[in-house]
Amino acid sequence: MKLSLRGEYALRALLVLGLNHDQEVLRIQRISEEQNIPKRFLEQILNDLKSAGLVESKRGVAGGYRLARRPEQITLASVIRHIEGALAPVSCVSERFYEKCSCPDESRCAIRSVMKEVRDAVVKIAERVTVAELCDRSRRLQQQPRDTLDFVI
């Protein structure tokens, strides 16, 4: 599974909203600047997340966005499925977005068998990790010293 830029930006926006869950709303400009996401693209993503019931918006001068539910109630799987579709690496192993593949015998396909294992591992992690967990990890990582980069010239 590979996240599109849209999927990555959606998760990053939810991370910012989760880290600031105690605030009334966050202005889109702040999210855009903190995460280096183009504002117009972010507006589209947040509207999409709003249609999924993941975020709420408030209009006007004091307007902005906030999570529609507590961070503990939003799983990465629900976000990714809404933005990207299937969590499966190939459509013939997807439980929610199944499509028949072109192999001669799906039931005996070794590739499909391995891809089911990949799907199961991805689903297990994505269903377990919530926006709250993402926020906790972010806070822990921010406390760690930066890695020094090695450059060879």
Side-chain angles (χ1 to χ4, degrees), residues 7-37 42 45-46 49 54-56 64-69 71 74 76 79 130-139 142:
E8 181 186 338
Y9 285 173
L11 291 175
R12 287 171 39 195
L14 289 171
L15 172 63
V16 173
L17 292 171
L19 288 168
N20 296 280
H21 185 64
D22 56 335
Q23 294 185 22
E24 174 87 15
V25 292
L26 283 183
R27 296 181 57 84
I28 194 167
Q29 187 67 33
R30 178 173 170 192
I31 301 167
S32 172
E33 289 171 2
E34 276 188 32
Q35 292 296 317
N36 197 27
I37 302 171
L42 182 57
I45 293 166
L46 289 170
L49 294 173
L54 298 169
V55 300
E56 298 173 335
Y65 290 86
R66 68 176 177 208
L67 295 179
R69 294 183 254 155
I74 302 172
L76 268 57
V79 177
T130 64
V131 171
E133 166 68 16
L134 208 56
C135 292
D136 290 343
R137 285 186 188 210
S138 178
R139 288 183 196 104
Q142 293 304 313

Side-chain angles (χ1 to χ4, degrees), residues 56-76:
E56 298 173 335
S57 64
K58 180 180 175 185
R59 296 179 119 167
V61 177
Y65 290 86
R66 68 176 177 208
L67 295 179
R69 294 183 254 155
R70 299 201 45 76
E72 300 83 20
Q73 297 173 317
I74 302 172
T75 65
L76 268 57

Side-chain angles (χ1 to χ4, degrees), residues 1 11 54 69 71-82 85-88 94-97 118-134 137:
M1 181 192 78
L11 291 175
L54 298 169
R69 294 183 254 155
E72 300 83 20
Q73 297 173 317
I74 302 172
T75 65
L76 268 57
S78 66
V79 177
I80 295 168
R81 282 188 182 113
H82 179 75
L87 292 173
S94 177
E95 291 181 350
R96 298 180 187 203
F97 301 93
V118 171
R119 177 210 58 206
D120 291 346
V122 168
V123 168
K124 182 178 179 181
I125 294 167
E127 289 286 358
R128 177 182 49 84
V129 177
T130 64
V131 171
E133 166 68 16
L134 208 56
R137 285 186 188 210

Side-chain angles (χ1 to χ4, degrees), residues 40-54:
R40 291 230 187 254
F41 194 25
L42 182 57
E43 286 172 349
Q44 294 171 7
I45 293 166
L46 289 170
N47 281 330
D48 196 8
L49 294 173
K50 184 178 173 184
S51 73
L54 298 169

